[in-house]
Amino acid sequence: MLLTIETTHQPATDLGYLLHKHPARVQSFSLSFGRAHVMYPRADEQRCRIAVVLDVDPVGLVRKHRGPAVDRYRLDQYVNDRPYVASSFMSVALNELFATAMNGRSKERQALVDRPIPLRTVLAVVPCRGGEGLLRRLFEPLGYDVSAKQHALDERFPEWGAGPYFTVALQQTVTIQSLLQHLYVLIPVLDNDKHYWVGRDEVEKLLARGTAPGPDGTPWLAQHPEKDLIARRYLRHRSRLTRDALARLAVEDDPDPDATDRLDDRAEAEIERSLSLNQQRVGSVLSVLKACGAATVLDLGCGSGGLLRELVAEKQFTRIVGVDVSVRSLQHAARRLRYDRLSEMQRRRVELLHGSLTYRDDRLAGFDAAAVVEVVEHLDPSRLSAFERCIFEFARPGTVVVTTPNREYNVMWETLPAGALRHRDHRFEWTREEFRVWAERVANEHGYGVRFLPVGPVDDDVGAPTQMAVFETNVRSGALTSE
Ligand code: SAH
């Protein structure tokens, strides 16, 4: 049973630091089911490949078997595919050999661990019950390029057809922690072998290995579209354990607020979590957009698509366009919207555009309303006037909803150091007065009226955590009052 992981990150031999295994040595480890050997078939500056070879001892396994006594006399205990295929044993081995990396830590090179690097993994033989389709459904939502070759059941008898075994290659620029967690959980899921005992601690292991940030920045397992199947198979179809695991995953399944930087997003999410402020913000923006009667809407700086998903669910909106300067965010949004599975009609209704809000863009003209949620504070102050013109002069939607943090509220968060902003990428955060002065000037210059609404719990002294301004063109609000 063989697994290789290769990188072209430079210097490629960094892989040795990431995995705490020296590239010049062949090392062997004793495990409960046999032995694991770790070596590097290639290790130079350009390319470094580590190989994990497992030597499973099937007879030893039977002797240690913990299941019911009758099972001990079954022939398939002795004659089976376990020594040859990547299965739960590979997971156990990865966990024991690379525990530090799987926990996202490094003794010497923490910055390296936190960085996505190009990684290509090959599983020489993996049983894939559910076929290539399932393989793709498990790995593609996590961002992998998947290639798979199915093997014949027996090469001497092609008429027997294909067997359940595949050679699988997975490629992605990803952190080593994420890769190891994905392999740890998903290899046994592919195998779906029900033969061995699963106890309660398997639920803990599953949850502990589902924590690395996924493509949209939140823990990967909670966001995985196949999380039900993953939990069921990982926990060997023990329904009570599966229910328990899924219930606990659901608690973590909060939409993320920003997606510019995964780690910072997590920090900001942590700060705001107690309020579930993100949900309140999305809710408030949505109700303003609905109330103004808009049919066509823009989500400017849509990030990973939390608001877009809510807009899509509302029939009132006949055309929904998300815009972002970050291609990665747009990819996350497309995934979150399951864009590739939308019908032709839905695709015409929802569109994602790559663009910047500081340049005139004619594609943004002619919409009823626009949301600009937690975006202004990401702009360089010197680009703010370009942003104002782009939206209020050129795109000129009837209604514009702008939200931004209220800096005064930051003192309310115990975890935020005094004077700090909520997110590393925030260029500034406004007080209520600063926001009001800015918004009123913009409204005056461009012929809009503006009103302000708090989002989140309002404190007597410092106000609400998020502030919202609703701009309406005078013409449009005139039309509304005359209806
Ligand atoms: N509206 C989303 C994301 C907020 S994070 C939400 O509430 O969850 C800020 C977003 O603005 C990021 O996705 C970032 O890529 C985008 N952004 C920053 N500057 C931008 C610009 N000049 N043009 C377009 N998008 C921009």
Side-chain angles (χ1 to χ4, degrees):
M1 177 191 319
L2 171 70
L3 172 144
T4 60
I5 301 174
E6 179 176 290
T7 187
T8 49
H9 157 86
Q10 309 278 310
T13 43
D14 274 353
L15 193 61
Y17 289 106
L18 282 171
L19 295 172
H20 296 280
K21 297 285 173 285
H22 197 287
R25 267 187 244 140
V26 176
Q27 288 171 273
S28 292
F29 303 85
S30 207
L31 302 170
S32 60
F33 49 81
R35 292 186 71 73
H37 312 281
V38 177
M39 68 207 74
Y40 289 78
R42 176 166 177 181
D44 52 47
E45 299 272 297
Q46 276 67 46
R47 203 174 281 273
C48 185
R49 181 161 66 240
I50 188 171
V52 179
V53 182
L54 291 194
D55 230 347
V56 175
D57 167 12
V59 177
L61 267 181
V62 178
R63 296 213 181 101
K64 284 190 194 143
H65 189 68
R66 287 189 288 163
V70 287
D71 280 357
R72 261 172 243 164
Y73 303 101
R74 281 173 24 194
L75 184 62
D76 69 0
Q77 294 289 307
Y78 294 92
V79 184
N80 59 42
D81 64 1
R82 299 295 91 186
Y84 313 109
V85 304
S87 65
S88 345
F89 298 129
M90 183 56 90
S91 287
V92 174
L94 293 176
N95 200 36
E96 301 211 355
L97 298 173
F98 308 125
T100 314
M102 209 179 289
N103 287 324
R105 290 198 306 269
S106 165
K107 292 188 195 101
E108 298 145 358
R109 307 285 286 273
Q110 189 60 43
L112 193 60
V113 172
D114 295 336
R115 229 172 91 190
I117 59 170
L119 291 169
R120 181 167 195 274
T121 304
V122 177
L123 294 155
V125 189
V126 61
C128 184
R129 293 174 230 279
E132 188 173 338
L134 179 68
L135 178 73
R136 292 187 181 280
R137 267 157 53 213
L138 291 177
F139 284 97
E140 285 179 347
L142 298 169
Y144 290 93
D145 261 352
V146 177
S147 64
K149 181 173 175 295
Q150 188 165 19
H151 297 286
L153 200 55
D154 188 325
E155 273 155 18
R156 289 165 302 168
F157 303 99
E159 64 277 16
W160 290 2
Y165 301 109
F166 286 74
T167 297
V168 174
L170 304 164
Q171 191 154 348
Q172 187 186 185
T173 297
V174 66
T175 63
I176 192 80
Q177 180 195 18
S178 297
L179 172 68
L180 291 171
Q181 289 198 354
H182 299 157
L183 294 173
Y184 175 85
V185 173
L186 297 180
I187 289 174
V189 166
L190 281 171
D191 183 17
N192 198 27
D193 178 21
K194 279 168 266 175
H195 288 243
Y196 86 81
W197 173 252
V198 199
R200 277 213 75 78
D201 56 340
E202 290 294 324
V203 175
E204 304 307 324
K205 287 187 203 159
L206 174 65
L207 296 176
R209 295 304 180 220
T211 53
D216 69 357
T218 59
W220 71 270
L221 185 54
Q223 289 301 326
H224 200 295
E226 295 292 348
K227 68 176 174 210
D228 290 34
L229 176 137
I230 294 172
R232 202 167 357 105
R233 282 188 166 200
Y234 183 92
L235 297 167
R236 307 289 184 301
H237 303 266
R238 299 263 318 265
S239 49
R240 203 165 45 80
L241 296 183
T242 308
R243 270 201 310 275
D244 177 22
L246 287 172
R248 287 169 59 188
L249 280 173
V251 178
E252 294 169 20
D253 189 9
D254 263 347
D256 64 322
D258 294 4
T260 41
D261 181 309
R262 294 176 185 185
L263 293 168
D264 280 353
D265 291 342
R266 298 231 297 177
E268 186 175 21
E270 200 61 47
I271 292 165
E272 295 188 341
R273 169 153 34 220
S274 53
L275 306 166
S276 181
L277 184 55
N278 183 50
Q279 281 163 330
Q280 293 186 47
R281 195 156 49 218
V282 169
S284 304
V285 172
L286 191 65
S287 56
V288 171
L289 292 176
K290 280 166 73 177
C292 77
T296 59
V297 287
L298 291 164
D299 184 359
L300 302 174
C302 61
S304 56
L307 175 62
L308 288 174
R309 193 161 64 172
E310 301 298 319
L311 292 170
V312 169
E314 298 288 338
K315 289 210 183 66
Q316 171 179 342
F317 304 116
T318 55
R319 182 159 161 70
I320 302 158
V321 175
V323 181
D324 208 285
V325 75
S326 150
V327 174
R328 210 168 81 174
S329 293
L330 291 172
Q331 286 167 344
H332 295 166
R335 245 180 244 143
R336 200 169 195 177
L337 294 172
R338 311 261 167 96
Y339 202 79
D340 53 345
R341 295 192 210 164
L342 291 185
S343 66
E344 200 42 43
M345 217 171 76
Q346 288 285 32
R347 274 193 206 200
R348 254 178 274 140
R349 188 173 160 242
V350 192
E351 198 177 352
L352 296 172
L353 299 179
H354 184 217
S356 171
L357 304 174
T358 53
Y359 294 92
R360 177 179 183 154
D361 188 337
D362 291 337
R363 296 175 300 176
L364 309 186
F367 284 77
D368 297 334
V372 197
V373 179
E374 307 293 287
V375 175
V376 267
E377 66 276 9
H378 291 264
L379 301 173
D380 199 87
S382 66
R383 301 298 294 154
L384 210 51
S385 63
F387 162 83
E388 293 162 16
R389 293 193 68 194
C390 172
I391 291 176
F392 294 92
E393 185 179 331
F394 302 124
R396 207 169 170 75
T399 302
V400 182
V401 187
V402 177
T403 78
T404 191
N406 163 19
R407 188 177 79 224
E408 294 164 85
Y409 198 90
N410 290 355
V411 295
M412 303 287 283
W413 277 302
E414 288 159 12
T415 45
L416 195 65
L421 302 185
R422 292 179 206 177
H423 191 288
R424 195 181 59 188
D425 194 45
H426 287 181
R427 304 304 157 87
F428 55 84
E429 285 173 358
W430 277 323
T431 63
R432 283 168 293 173
E433 179 63 9
E434 285 163 342
F435 185 48
R436 192 183 57 74
V437 168
W438 174 81
E440 285 178 349
R441 177 188 49 77
V442 171
N444 278 333
E445 282 177 11
H446 298 283
Y448 280 76
V450 62
R451 60 199 162 92
F452 299 90
L453 296 164
V455 179
V458 181
D459 177 83
D460 283 347
D461 293 326
V462 297
T466 296
Q467 33 189 352
M468 177 159 88
V470 182
F471 299 81
E472 272 150 326
T473 49
N474 294 334
V475 188
R476 189 175 172 82
S477 50
L480 278 182
T481 40
S482 66
E483 266 170 18

